[in-house]
Amino acid sequence: MNASAAAVDAVAKARRRLAVRGIVQGVGFRPFVHRLATDLALDGEVRNDASGVTIVLQGPAAALDAFVARLAAEAPRLARIDSVEARALPVAPALRGFAIAGSARGRVATAIGPDSAICDDCLRDLFEPSNRRWRYAFVNCTNCGPRYTITRALPYDRATTSMAPFAQCPACLAEYRSPQDRRFHAEPNACPACGPRLALASIDGTPIAGDAIAATLRLLRAGRIVAVKGLGGYHLACDARNAQAVATLRARKSREAKPLALMAANVASLAAWTVAGDAEAALLASAERPIVLLRKRPGADQAFPGIAPGLAWLGAMLPYTPLQYLLFHEAAGRPAGCGWLGEPQALVLVMTSANPGGEPLATGDDEAFARLRGIADAVLAHDRAIVIRCDDSVVRRAGDGAPQFLRRARGFTPRAVRLARPGPSVLALGAWFKNTACATRHDEAFVTEHVGDLDNAATCRALERSVEHLLAILDVRPVAVAHDLHPDFHSTRLAHALAGRWGVPALPVQHHHAHVAAVAAEHRIEQPLLGVALDGVGLGVDGAAWGGELLRVDGASFARLGHLAPLALPGGDRAAREPWRMAAAALFRGGRGDAVARRFADEPGAATIAQMLARSIRSPLTTSAGRWFDAAAGLLGVSRRIAYEGQAAMLLEGLAEAHGPAAPLRDGWTVDDEGVLDLTGVLMHLADEPDAARGASVFHATLVAALAAWIGRAAEATGLRVVACGGGCFLNAVLATGLRAALAARGIAMLEANAVPPNDGGLSLGQAAIARRLAS
């Protein structure tokens, strides 16, 4: 024994077992623990287990304390430590050295981390010609790369991922086994000699010879559309500056007007056409790499024709896989090193989800060739399987500086939402639009990736697959299954089927109660509060179409304190797709029904619609806030028909944003003794407004003032000074920012959705929170 070892032995030793919980698998945590223990001359081992990571340490008590302190302070960037439980063990005199032990199996109580963008170290490997991974499209390490989308089960080991078929070569295996290497136990580790490979082919399956990256870039520059395999599915890519290529993509995908996402090499490449402050730049460059909504500069629509027509925002993201970076690297002329990444690059690509007909995005290679025929000209594939599809996340910076989700998926799923207290495990299945599911375990809620609208069989099957995968990796058996009140949703039918199979209750949850409960859940609020839910539609407890609701919420129960005045839907659901019909309904409500046929004389059905409204025929009523937005857009001539959900409201927001603030109409609304908020006054003003942008700004200002007065009245009546605001209308930045300020001036705290979207993409979280209370 050498002198230093003898000195250590002379110090009284202690032995402890540490149980670490959180996101600690697949993030380089075991290698980090190994290095930290070695640095402190501690003996023992670390292993993955079903609950997280278990560490056994032996050494001087002071060194053990130092280890625990540094464990939290120096953890890997992708790790999240939720708890560390320590237990003393008897000293083991024979214990020498520190090892990474094999994973222990058992009932899962941990979580896998989300997929992460390639890190700077791996980028240096990718672009250094002397590196053996130069231009290799699957570079990764413990600090970056795929996680959730390649994982079949936990504990997170290579054998339980889609990398299992790829045996590591001697060089990769040496890295994998070396505690000093950042690829130490990096499960997706690979290189050109042993890992996945790219393959480019025409859409008919004919291989395209030559370098796959170079050939793909040639196709894109020639105006072709290429399906490119990403982490959670395929993208459809084309040159964003090529108006004809963009128009062709829209025509082939039947995506007439919905905005398309851009991908640029860096923030500098977008600076001429968008406004990206420090907060937006940080979101763009984050490890999660979401699509970020950026305000357009003058000239943006000319530079990128047809990308986001009529809107004030462009959705943009930076590359997050080595493959995506290689396309920009090729366009830059294959420079050595990473210096070029700090310079503006000319290439800007459309990167939109490869989901024809609104179905789930393609993930399998054979599936891509089959489903994308007629849309893509070629397919850039590879042989690493995608276990679970996961679309790109979409965020915007809210007025308070916090990011707000429009869609929560890659980079964030399956990151848990921490709840106020432990509770039973439940499953919630969302609603119809923008579907997600949510499962809870202990004091955490896990929301699936964005599934989509349940209007086709493929998306319905995708929901079933997402639920199966989520429950498998969490290893939970729900004691209840929550669903929307609407009996005809696939999510409702699936809830009843699963509940019957498991012998547990199926729990119906009112739509707008769930919106408010989702916001309360992420803020860990359990006491009674006010809630405002503004959205397109949700079934009310009275069987009517709700959508503009003022509630008092107390956990699993709620009371309806008020609602927006009902508007007729002439022609039923068709009115939600044709804002001119909602404008006609508003004119009728305002006593100007005789103007409908004249005002919309170029609409063949105008006279019939006027008669339907006059006789209340096929014109059900709705309190939907979304339909009031549609009516405003129709009266201002902003939109007669929409090509996608929420388009009229988004165009209206864009006009208000461009115009700037306006004064509210003080006689633009009324509130009656039943708590009904009537906005007919402002709509009648808009009917005579010649300037659409000014009218849009007046509408937003009046709506904000009306909502603030409405909520203020309820706050005075109930004594509640906190209001949770949910529903898709709160994605409107003009509305949300204005209401936040107006309520603050009244001393009312406004809670908003940040952990999940405020639209129906976050509904499952609220359903789960209510179901936990009912099942407790």
Side-chain angles (χ1 to χ4, degrees):
M1 180 179 295
N2 59 39
S4 61
V8 170
D9 277 353
V11 179
K13 287 186 175 181
R15 184 164 168 250
R16 295 178 195 167
R17 178 184 180 275
L18 304 180
V20 186
R21 305 294 175 255
I23 298 178
V24 289
Q25 293 191 18
V27 293
F29 198 79
R30 289 175 299 168
F32 156 69
V33 167
H34 187 285
R35 289 191 293 272
L36 183 55
T38 301
D39 185 53
L40 292 169
L42 294 171
D43 301 316
E45 67 176 26
V46 58
R47 70 172 74 226
N48 282 344
D49 60 28
S51 297
V53 166
T54 297
I55 308 166
V56 175
L57 297 167
Q58 183 168 284
L64 296 180
D65 293 340
F67 179 95
V68 172
R70 291 176 61 182
L71 189 71
E74 302 174 18
R77 69 179 187 129
L78 300 181
R80 190 195 75 200
I81 298 176
D82 293 335
S83 65
V84 179
E85 298 177 3
R87 182 164 62 91
L89 298 175
V91 172
L95 185 61
R96 289 287 185 273
F98 196 90
I100 293 181
S103 295
R105 303 288 165 173
R107 186 170 181 81
V108 174
T110 189
I112 186 65
D115 299 323
S116 178
I118 182 174
C119 68
D120 291 344
D121 287 333
C122 285
L123 282 174
R124 283 188 279 272
D125 291 347
L126 187 65
F127 300 132
E128 173 50 56
S130 64
N131 192 285
R132 69 189 185 94
R133 291 186 175 88
W134 179 60
R135 299 185 71 245
Y136 181 56
F138 305 94
V139 178
N140 68 87
C141 70
T142 55
N143 296 318
C144 68
R147 296 292 187 275
Y148 178 65
T149 55
I150 64 169
T151 301
R152 302 185 192 279
L154 292 179
Y156 176 73
D157 291 311
R158 193 179 184 99
T160 60
T161 73
S162 59
M163 285 299 294
F166 300 96
Q168 295 183 78
C169 67
C172 286
L173 200 56
E175 295 169 331
Y176 184 85
R177 291 173 173 170
S178 171
Q180 284 71 46
D181 199 288
R182 76 176 195 279
R183 295 189 171 95
F184 184 41
H185 282 258
E187 305 305 347
N189 188 35
C191 75
C194 64
R197 298 184 181 184
L198 295 176
L200 178 66
S202 299
I203 194 63
D204 63 4
T206 304
I208 297 176
D211 183 274
I213 297 296
T216 298
L217 183 64
R218 286 194 296 271
L219 289 170
L220 293 170
R221 283 177 163 167
R224 302 293 189 268
I225 298 165
V226 182
V228 180
K229 194 171 184 179
L231 286 180
Y234 275 87
H235 287 104
L236 291 168
C238 72
D239 184 349
R241 300 177 189 271
N242 186 326
Q244 184 56 53
V246 173
T248 299
L249 174 58
R250 284 196 177 279
R252 291 182 183 178
K253 199 183 176 190
S254 300
R255 189 178 176 124
E256 176 187 347
K258 197 171 184 179
L260 300 168
L262 300 180
M263 179 176 282
N266 48 38
V267 177
S269 301
L270 296 165
W273 303 285
T274 63
V275 178
D278 291 344
E280 288 88 355
L283 284 170
L284 284 165
S286 67
E288 294 84 1
R289 285 293 203 282
I291 297 169
V292 181
L293 296 193
L294 304 174
R295 186 174 285 104
K296 291 178 180 175
R297 292 187 188 275
D301 288 334
Q302 290 71 38
F304 305 112
I307 297 299
L311 302 181
W313 311 82
L314 277 175
M317 60 180 161
L318 305 187
Y320 53 86
T321 69
L323 170 55
Q324 294 162 355
Y325 267 106
L326 286 172
L327 292 172
F328 292 95
H329 182 244
E330 188 72 21
R334 296 189 188 179
C338 294
W340 66 280
L341 287 173
E343 304 165 358
Q345 301 298 318
L347 180 67
V348 180
L349 298 174
V350 169
M351 281 283 187
T352 189
S353 303
N355 57 337
E359 295 185 349
L361 75 165
T363 56
D365 299 341
D366 292 342
E367 176 191 5
F369 282 102
R371 290 179 58 204
L372 302 180
R373 185 180 294 270
I375 302 178
D377 298 300
V379 176
L380 181 57
H382 59 72
D383 53 353
R384 185 181 69 200
I386 297 171
V387 173
I388 190 75
R389 59 175 48 86
C390 206
D391 216 332
D392 294 313
S393 294
V394 184
V395 303
R396 75 187 308 166
R397 186 179 65 83
D400 60 357
Q404 184 179 57
F405 287 100
L406 284 76
R407 182 171 72 202
R408 182 182 187 267
R410 178 195 50 76
F412 298 92
T413 303
R415 187 176 295 165
V417 178
R418 183 59 60 82
L419 303 174
R421 66 176 68 190
S425 291
V426 300
L427 174 66
L429 294 181
W432 178 272
F433 290 114
K434 300 174 178 62
N435 180 270
T436 62
C438 176
T440 66
R441 187 183 64 190
H442 197 57
D443 62 347
E444 294 180 316
F446 299 84
V447 180
T448 67
E449 69 283 356
H450 167 83
V451 175
D453 299 346
L454 301 180
D455 57 1
N456 59 80
T459 306
C460 292
R461 289 193 295 270
L463 170 60
E464 295 167 12
R465 171 68 181 123
S466 291
V467 168
E468 178 186 4
H469 184 256
L470 183 65
L471 295 181
I473 64 170
L474 296 178
D475 193 21
V476 295
R477 179 69 175 268
V479 300
V481 185
H483 59 85
D484 192 83
L485 279 184
H486 203 296
D488 296 331
F489 291 171
H490 176 73
S491 52
T492 300
R493 293 193 293 268
L494 178 60
H496 282 278
L498 293 176
R501 184 186 311 166
W502 297 331
V504 301
L507 303 176
V509 177
Q510 200 281 322
H511 192 91
H512 303 96
H513 183 195
H515 270 312
V516 174
V519 178
E522 73 160 87
H523 289 276
R524 304 180 203 170
I525 302 294
E526 294 194 301
Q527 63 266 35
L529 77 170
L530 296 175
V532 171
L534 305 179
D535 65 0
V537 68
L539 186 65
V541 294
D542 58 359
W546 292 8
E549 310 305 315
L550 176 59
L551 309 177
R552 181 188 187 278
V553 172
D554 186 0
S557 64
F558 77 96
R560 194 185 194 195
L561 302 181
H563 56 80
L564 294 185
L567 278 176
L569 292 166
D573 287 346
R574 185 171 176 181
R577 302 188 295 274
E578 298 183 10
W580 78 269
R581 292 179 180 241
M582 296 311 306
L587 289 171
F588 185 86
R589 181 174 178 82
R592 296 167 65 173
D594 57 348
V596 171
R598 294 194 307 274
R599 189 181 187 101
F600 301 108
D602 55 340
E603 292 288 350
T608 302
I609 290 298
Q611 292 177 10
M612 291 167 59
L613 288 166
R615 300 176 184 177
S616 298
I617 299 171
R618 294 183 57 230
S619 300
L621 299 177
T622 179
T623 60
S624 165
R627 302 296 76 81
W628 283 91
F629 273 92
D630 289 346
L635 289 169
L636 290 169
V638 173
S639 175
R640 288 282 186 94
R641 288 170 176 78
I642 62 171
Y644 57 90
E645 185 199 10
Q647 182 184 14
M650 292 169 66
L651 293 171
L652 205 65
E653 178 192 4
L655 287 171
E657 178 81 28
H659 180 276
L665 296 178
R666 291 304 171 187
D667 59 351
W669 78 89
T670 62
V671 180
D672 68 16
D673 292 339
E674 300 299 317
V676 176
L677 173 59
D678 192 341
L679 299 165
T680 303
V682 68
L683 290 194
M684 293 307 95
H685 173 84
L686 299 186
D688 302 320
E689 171 58 68
D691 186 331
R694 183 173 61 202
S697 187
V698 168
F699 174 75
H700 279 82
T702 305
L703 178 59
V704 165
L707 290 171
W710 192 38
I711 296 167
R713 172 175 156 162
E716 292 301 320
T718 63
L720 300 174
R721 310 298 295 179
V722 176
V723 59
C725 295
C729 292
F730 284 103
L731 287 170
N732 183 315
V734 178
L735 169 62
T737 301
L739 185 58
R740 189 183 308 112
L743 290 176
R746 292 172 176 264
I748 299 172
M750 176 174 163
L751 303 181
E752 301 171 76
N754 296 119
V756 295
N759 58 28
D760 284 6
L763 200 72
S764 62
L765 173 62
Q767 292 174 339
I770 293 166
R772 286 203 338 151
R773 298 288 287 267
L774 292 171
S776 295

